[in-house]
């Protein structure tokens, strides 16, 4: 979508195709003793179709930022605009439903349900996310298709404990794809894998942009970060470097 004009009542849309636009985003945690600024006035854009890295050392605020992008956490100030719509405007239940349809999440420690087979883990995501617009009778085929995308169509009957770490993370990718979301987000998705397996799982994630997905991944590994098509680098909650992530703000409020 390309719009240069202000749309009354709606969030401004930049003239660049930004899938996710972050404007003056801050997250501050206040306890009795002190105020901790975890993210400090971040403004950037995630282009549609990008392989987008959020990188920086441990403790720089990467996971906090990812949780704000997916609406799991709420900003102290500023906003996240997703496909032209501000996340904050939604209530908790609506936000959870929205997340199920729009975002596939991949975790460092896979988080598969240990008592369910690979296929059942993917089917559960369809159940929880509403099936990506497909009628229920097509869910099984959809789940198998997702396992096929990650190279595990023949492994559907296995329990997570019967799969290697790399295979478990592939199942988690299949699960993230289940409802056909436009965006996949992954927090250190290869952080728990040996380097060869990590490379293979990363290649799989990188290939998802060829399916039209936008892939946002967090890493503290400079080598993986260098594979991105756009990135921001965080240090102590601030952007210290970026490429391809320039936000084109159109609102008065956004101009500074
Ligand atoms: P990263 O993912 O880059 O390692 P995080 O986003 O997890 O960084 O955390 C950034 C900083 O914020 C760290 O110093 C962490 O200790 C602090 N932090 C994160 N969450 C909380 C919280 N709920 N309460 C207090 N400090 C927090
Ligand atoms: Mg983290």
């Amino acid at each position: 979508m390309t719009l240069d004009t202000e749309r009354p009542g709606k969030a401004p849309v930049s003239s660049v195709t930004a899938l996710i636009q972050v404007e003056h985003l801050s997250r501050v945690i206040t306890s009795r003793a002190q105020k901790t600024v975890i993210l400090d006035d971040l403004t950037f854009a995630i282009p549609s179709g990008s392989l987008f890295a959020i990188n920086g050392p441990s403790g720089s605020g990467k996971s906090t930022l990812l949780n704000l992008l997916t609406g799991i956490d709420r900003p102290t100030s500023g906003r996240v605009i997703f496909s032209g719509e501000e996340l904050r405007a939604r209530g908790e239940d609506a936000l959870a439903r929205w997340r199920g349809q729009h975002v596939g999440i991949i975790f460092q420690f896979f988080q598969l349900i240990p008592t369910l087979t690979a296929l059942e883990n993917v089917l559960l995501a369809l159940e929880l996310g509403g099936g990506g617009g497909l009628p229920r009778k097509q869910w099984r085929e959809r789940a198998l298709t997702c396992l096929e995308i990650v190279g595990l169509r023949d492994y559907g009957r296995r329990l997570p404990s019967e799969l290697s770490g790399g295979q478990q993370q592939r199942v988690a990718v299949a699960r993230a794809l289940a409802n056909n979301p436009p965006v996949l987000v992954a927090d250190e998705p290869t952080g728990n894998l040996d380097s060869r397996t990590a490379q293979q799982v990363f290649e799989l994630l990188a290939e998802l942009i060829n399916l039209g997905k936008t892939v946002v991944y967090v890493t503290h590994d400079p080598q993986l970060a260098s594979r991105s098509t756009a990135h921001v680098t965080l240090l102590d909650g601030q952007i210290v470097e970026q490429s391809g992530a320039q936000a084109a703000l159109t609102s008065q409020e956004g101009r500074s």
Side-chain angles (χ1 to χ4, degrees):
M1 183 158 42
T2 303
L3 265 186
D4 292 312
T5 50
E6 298 260 329
R7 300 179 305 160
K10 297 249 183 163
V13 175
S14 77
S15 54
V16 179
T17 310
L19 183 71
I20 303 174
Q21 173 112 345
V22 171
E23 298 186 355
H24 299 296
L25 192 70
S26 293
R27 183 73 172 91
V28 178
I29 291 187
T30 313
S31 70
R32 249 182 333 146
Q34 63 191 35
K35 222 175 86 169
T36 311
V37 179
I38 296 178
L39 294 175
D40 184 8
D41 195 20
L42 308 187
T43 295
F44 67 95
I46 298 180
S48 186
S50 59
L51 180 60
F52 193 96
I54 296 170
N55 71 310
S58 183
S60 56
K62 304 182 298 296
S63 294
T64 303
L65 175 56
L66 209 61
N67 288 337
L68 291 171
L69 295 182
T70 56
I72 288 171
D73 189 15
R74 301 222 172 208
T76 305
S77 60
R79 53 194 195 154
V80 175
I81 299 163
F82 206 110
S83 295
E85 194 177 339
E86 188 175 347
L87 287 193
R88 189 197 280 274
R90 294 170 180 273
E92 221 48 71
D93 289 352
L95 196 53
R97 256 196 318 279
W98 169 88
R99 195 181 304 120
Q101 293 160 359
H102 290 81
V103 189
I105 304 181
I106 298 154
F107 304 94
Q108 181 175 352
F109 297 102
F110 325 139
Q111 327 284 57
L112 299 176
I113 310 273
T115 54
L116 299 181
T117 64
L119 183 65
E120 288 165 348
N121 267 281
V122 182
L123 279 168
L124 180 63
L126 285 158
E127 188 80 44
L128 297 174
L134 291 174
R136 186 177 284 270
K137 64 177 193 302
Q138 290 176 22
W139 288 4
R140 194 185 153 81
E141 195 47 49
R142 171 70 190 160
L144 285 167
T145 300
C146 292
L147 286 174
E148 185 170 353
I149 290 169
V150 303
L152 292 176
R153 185 166 175 121
D154 296 335
Y155 291 71
R157 289 166 185 271
R158 298 224 192 161
L159 290 169
S161 60
E162 298 167 333
L163 296 167
S164 70
Q167 288 171 334
Q168 289 182 58
Q169 193 61 308
R170 284 170 181 271
V171 172
V173 173
R175 176 180 60 186
L177 290 168
N179 294 292
N180 202 18
V183 183
L184 286 111
V185 303
D187 195 345
E188 308 266 9
T190 64
N192 194 41
L193 301 172
D194 67 77
S195 64
R196 203 173 120 253
T197 310
Q199 197 59 42
Q200 290 166 350
V201 168
F202 184 80
E203 295 308 331
L204 171 65
L205 286 175
E207 279 167 22
L208 296 178
I209 64 172
N210 300 323
L211 298 178
K213 304 297 180 193
T214 302
V215 178
V216 182
Y217 66 104
V218 159
T219 186
H220 63 263
D221 179 339
Q223 200 258 327
L224 290 185
S226 74
R227 294 284 310 277
S228 64
T229 61
H231 80 280
V232 290
T233 302
L234 299 183
L235 184 65
D236 296 335
Q238 295 185 327
I239 295 175
V240 291
E241 200 216 322
Q242 63 94 9
S243 76
Q246 200 71 46
L249 302 182
T250 56
S251 67
Q252 283 309 114
E253 178 194 50
R255 285 189 231 277
S256 56

